[in-house]
Amino acid sequence: MRPFVCQIVGYKNSGKTTLVCSLVEKLKKQGFRVAVIKHDAHDFEMDHPGTDSFRHRAAGASAIALVSPRKTAVIREEEIQLDDLVKGFSNYDIILVEGFKQESYPKLIMIRRDEDRELICSLKSVKGVVTWLPAEETLAGVDEEAAGRMAIFGKDDIGHITNWLQQQI
């Protein structure tokens, strides 16, 4: 069985990471194996001066794998496509993807401010909305048929969002 992939998308400071972490905690307690893939629009560093991996990269290695009995980390000096990352997590039950707005996996959109609502109509594969605003305000101006196909959740409605995710599996 393939994992269910759900993107959590929204603008900066809309609550994406908080939601993803809450969902991971709840799903893990219910026995699901959950993977997370996060898009970072900026450059990031996972290793730091003084570590062996930092020294390996400083020496010119283009890829490094760190492996212990309990975990593995791979650092590659290249961008990897979301589909390829998803394939690498095929043995999980659910993959939560934070970001990658333009990809076409099922999406929950985070709406914090009125101006964020444009995402509802501008993105593909929107299956639901997680909102800080009243539901009626969030869906104002959205085509009724499209709005009727979307789940709508309050930002703190972790239980209902978790149940919705389980129904998608």
Side-chain angles (χ1 to χ4, degrees):
M1 184 162 99
R2 294 178 29 196
F4 175 68
V5 179
C6 184
Q7 292 180 252
I8 310 296
V9 301
Y11 291 121
K12 185 176 180 173
N13 295 322
S14 61
K16 297 180 301 292
T17 300
T18 299
L19 177 62
V20 168
C21 290
S22 295
L23 292 172
V24 169
E25 287 177 18
K26 185 121 175 129
L27 290 163
K28 183 176 167 101
K29 283 180 186 171
Q30 294 176 354
F32 290 94
R33 295 191 66 220
V34 184
V36 174
I37 299 171
K38 178 179 173 46
H39 183 261
D40 189 341
H42 310 288
D43 203 12
F44 65 91
E45 291 297 329
M46 284 183 52
D47 50 356
H48 304 281
T51 63
D52 291 346
S53 59
F54 185 89
R55 291 180 57 207
H56 296 147
R57 287 184 56 224
S62 297
I64 300 163
L66 304 168
V67 182
S68 76
R70 294 192 48 215
K71 58 185 136 182
T72 298
V74 177
I75 303 170
R76 293 167 48 175
E77 296 283 340
E78 63 180 321
E79 182 176 13
I80 301 171
Q81 297 300 309
L82 181 57
D83 286 341
D84 294 329
L85 293 168
V86 166
K87 288 175 191 165
F89 287 136
S90 63
N91 58 332
Y92 291 84
D93 301 312
I94 299 173
I95 301 172
L96 298 176
V97 177
E98 186 177 331
F100 293 91
K101 284 185 193 87
Q102 300 310 316
E103 295 291 334
S104 60
Y105 290 100
K107 288 178 186 59
L108 290 176
I109 297 179
M110 298 289 301
I111 304 295
R112 183 169 186 160
R113 294 167 293 276
D114 189 55
E115 56 267 30
D116 298 349
R117 295 180 321 108
E118 63 88 15
L119 289 173
I120 297 170
C121 298
S122 67
L123 297 179
K124 297 181 280 189
S125 304
V126 176
K127 303 300 181 195
V129 178
V130 181
T131 185
W132 294 59
L133 307 173
E136 314 78 50
E137 186 179 328
T138 300
L139 295 176
V142 175
D143 174 76
E144 280 187 44
E145 187 178 329
R149 290 190 305 264
M150 286 183 221
I152 186 156
F153 306 101
K155 68 176 180 67
D156 297 318
D157 204 0
I158 304 305
H160 286 110
I161 300 169
T162 303
N163 291 340
W164 179 84
L165 284 169
Q166 291 174 14
Q167 291 170 7
Q168 308 307 306
I169 298 175

